[in-house]
Amino acid sequence: MDIADDQIALWDVDFTRKAKKQADGLPSAVFETLALLKGELELEGPVQPEWHHYGKLVGKKGEYHHCHLNKGKPRYVAVWVVISNTVRVIEICYTGTHENVNYRQFK
């Protein structure tokens, strides 16, 4: 049985309340980049090796990933976690400056 392109299962990508509030305060160019990242997460899933400084956060109980949204200063990053691989749910849990991210908060 062949699956048509329009029947490919997409990932459900959402923001935590805090991340949504952080995203609303981003500069417009960084916000647009975040929107592109969200679209790629929906299509391709949580692993995004083509994004600048993409990496999986190690030593965490959950499956956390992050990447840089821009180059230069201040540097903005996004952090997301896979909530479920079976129903394909990703939650973006931080969007903001690299200087202010506290990676310890992601358990």
Side-chain angles (χ1 to χ4, degrees):
M1 173 157 83
D2 292 326
I3 297 176
D5 288 343
D6 60 341
Q7 293 177 342
I8 294 174
L10 299 177
W11 287 78
D12 182 23
V13 179
D14 214 348
F15 290 84
T16 62
R17 274 188 239 146
K18 183 176 181 180
K20 178 63 177 149
K21 188 174 180 180
Q22 292 165 337
D24 289 342
L26 293 174
S28 61
V30 177
F31 185 84
E32 289 173 14
T33 304
L34 177 62
L36 289 173
L37 174 64
K38 182 179 184 288
E40 289 192 15
L41 290 170
E42 289 169 344
L43 291 173
E44 301 170 9
V47 179
Q48 297 291 323
E50 71 277 1
W51 280 80
H52 187 62
H53 282 275
Y54 162 80
K56 186 173 179 181
L57 300 180
V58 295
K60 306 296 180 190
K61 291 181 183 176
E63 188 180 334
Y64 286 89
H65 305 261
H66 91 292
C67 73
H68 293 186
L69 298 173
N70 69 332
K71 296 179 181 178
K73 302 250 183 202
R75 178 90 25 103
Y76 290 91
V77 300
V79 178
W80 60 95
V81 61
V82 176
I83 302 298
S84 172
N85 276 308
T86 56
V87 292
R88 295 180 166 227
V89 178
I90 297 171
E91 188 172 63
I92 299 173
C93 49
Y94 178 82
T95 57
T97 62
H98 187 268
E99 293 79 15
N100 290 337
V101 65
N102 178 5
Y103 289 107
R104 287 187 227 142
Q105 74 183 357
F106 308 114
K107 302 188 184 342

